[in-house]
Amino acid sequence: MASFLHLPAIFTLPSPLHGASFPARSRPNSLFHTRFSIKCRYAEANVNKDAFNSVSATIDVVADVKPERVVVLGGSGFVGSAICKAAVSKGIEVIGVSRSGRPTYSGSWIDQVNWVPGDVFYVNWDDVLVGATAVVSTIGGFGSEEQMQRINGDANVVAVNAAKDYGVPKFILISVHDYNLPQFLLSSGYFTGKRKAESEVLSKYPNSGVVLRPGFIYGKRRVDGFELPLDLIGEPVERIMSATENFTKPLSSLPASDLLLAPPVSVDDVALAVINGIRDDDFFGIFTIAQIKEAADKVRV
């Protein structure tokens, strides 16, 4: 859409500027072009009023504005759907990718998401990544050692490299807190897969990659058509842990202590932290549970 702004401005310049223009540069079709012009008037020393009124210049500026277009991998899952919903509420264009495609339940935000059924190992990235400004991966799961390595690690590595190849400027990974576990437990396929994915994100996106490490995520989770109110457990536990943090903090150095002491985090807070990551160019790196909550507070309405 073209809009024209005429803004009077007074400048003191050593010599008259009769005109200046900044030509538009070609951009991909995914960009919106906004044209506006600024009319500038200025006066020099010893110039009379009539001369002042006759000296003017119009500056035409063509601005290329790239719309926010976010791809959420695992978009119909527990965490993915919360991210899609939050992004839609912020006016962000969302593409949700998952093997099951569009969720089976209803919701006004669901109709505003472009759902693409597919597996990251086989999806046609042309249908997904062209014009994207960020990719968010919620891919992860349990199973055998081989399955966990493939789901938590390899699948995310494929997604990171595809996003990089398509020039997507930001990648956000939902990973997991390590719970201060001993090394022999962290060597399981679940954690090694997650850390492999983290390494790929931070390697390919050193100045824009985001890794969120939440602990137990609570909220209303849908399983086989039923809604599990995990918030009935997670929310009060989070409040208790927050209130007793000063007393339990000395215990945090004990091995595996965070299995009991790491506070749960709301799925809505994880989603809002993702929104903050999408919009804040200075937000990159690895983020702990406490930092996830801080990031969510920055964009909470």
Side-chain angles (χ1 to χ4, degrees):
M1 178 181 293
S3 61
F4 294 83
L5 306 178
H6 296 280
L7 305 177
I10 305 299
F11 299 96
T12 301
L13 300 175
S15 60
L17 174 65
H18 296 291
S21 63
F22 301 86
R25 293 178 294 174
S26 61
R27 286 287 189 269
N29 292 332
S30 60
L31 302 184
F32 290 136
H33 299 282
T34 303
R35 176 182 292 274
F36 60 93
S37 61
I38 303 173
K39 187 174 184 180
C40 301
R41 296 183 298 179
Y42 54 88
E44 296 183 66
N46 302 321
V47 177
N48 61 35
K49 182 177 180 181
D50 292 337
F52 164 73
N53 288 330
S54 65
V55 179
S56 65
T58 298
I59 301 175
D60 289 329
V61 180
V62 176
D64 292 334
V65 181
K66 191 170 187 178
E68 293 174 308
R69 180 179 298 165
V70 176
V71 177
V72 181
L73 305 178
S76 62
F78 174 48
V79 177
S81 60
I83 294 170
C84 289
K85 183 178 181 180
V88 166
S89 72
K90 298 296 183 180
I92 300 172
E93 181 183 350
V94 181
I95 300 173
V97 181
S98 65
R99 287 180 295 178
S100 58
R102 179 188 175 97
T104 56
Y105 55 91
S106 60
S108 59
W109 64 270
I110 294 176
D111 296 331
Q112 300 179 62
V113 175
N114 179 16
W115 297 101
V116 177
D119 186 303
V120 292
F121 291 107
Y122 310 109
V123 69
N124 183 355
W125 292 113
D126 286 341
D127 297 336
V128 175
L129 295 179
V130 174
T133 55
V135 172
V136 183
S137 177
T138 67
I139 298 172
F142 294 95
S144 67
E145 287 291 302
E146 182 180 354
Q147 288 172 331
M148 290 189 291
Q149 283 279 5
R150 181 173 171 80
I151 297 170
N152 298 317
D154 297 342
N156 283 304
V157 169
V158 168
V160 172
N161 283 280
K164 189 67 176 179
D165 289 344
Y166 276 76
V168 181
K170 178 162 285 195
F171 197 102
I172 301 175
L173 174 70
I174 308 301
S175 189
V176 65
H177 182 61
D178 63 13
Y179 294 99
N180 202 23
L181 292 173
Q183 190 58 42
F184 75 91
L185 291 176
L186 291 176
S187 64
S188 70
Y190 182 82
F191 286 102
T192 56
K194 288 287 189 180
R195 297 301 177 255
K196 179 179 181 180
E198 290 183 6
S199 178
E200 195 71 12
V201 171
L202 299 177
S203 173
K204 292 296 192 299
Y205 291 89
N207 299 312
S208 62
V210 177
V211 174
L212 302 183
R213 288 182 175 178
F216 172 69
I217 302 176
Y218 69 84
K220 290 180 171 57
R221 183 166 193 161
R222 294 178 182 272
V223 179
D224 296 330
F226 296 95
E227 190 174 81
L228 299 179
L230 299 179
D231 51 328
L232 295 181
I233 299 173
E235 189 170 353
V237 170
E238 181 183 14
R239 290 178 180 176
I240 292 171
M241 288 187 170
S242 178
T244 60
E245 181 180 6
N246 291 334
F247 300 99
T248 60
K249 197 169 185 178
L251 302 174
S252 61
S253 60
L254 297 175
S257 58
D258 278 358
L259 287 173
L260 295 175
L261 301 179
V265 58
S266 164
V267 69
D268 294 329
D269 280 351
V270 174
L272 290 176
V274 168
I275 300 302
N276 185 70
I278 292 170
R279 292 188 160 175
D280 186 352
D281 290 337
D282 294 324
F283 186 84
F284 59 90
I286 298 175
F287 295 86
T288 64
I289 296 172
Q291 291 169 328
I292 289 171
K293 296 178 182 180
E294 291 173 4
D297 287 339
K298 292 181 181 179
V299 295
R300 195 187 311 279
V301 177

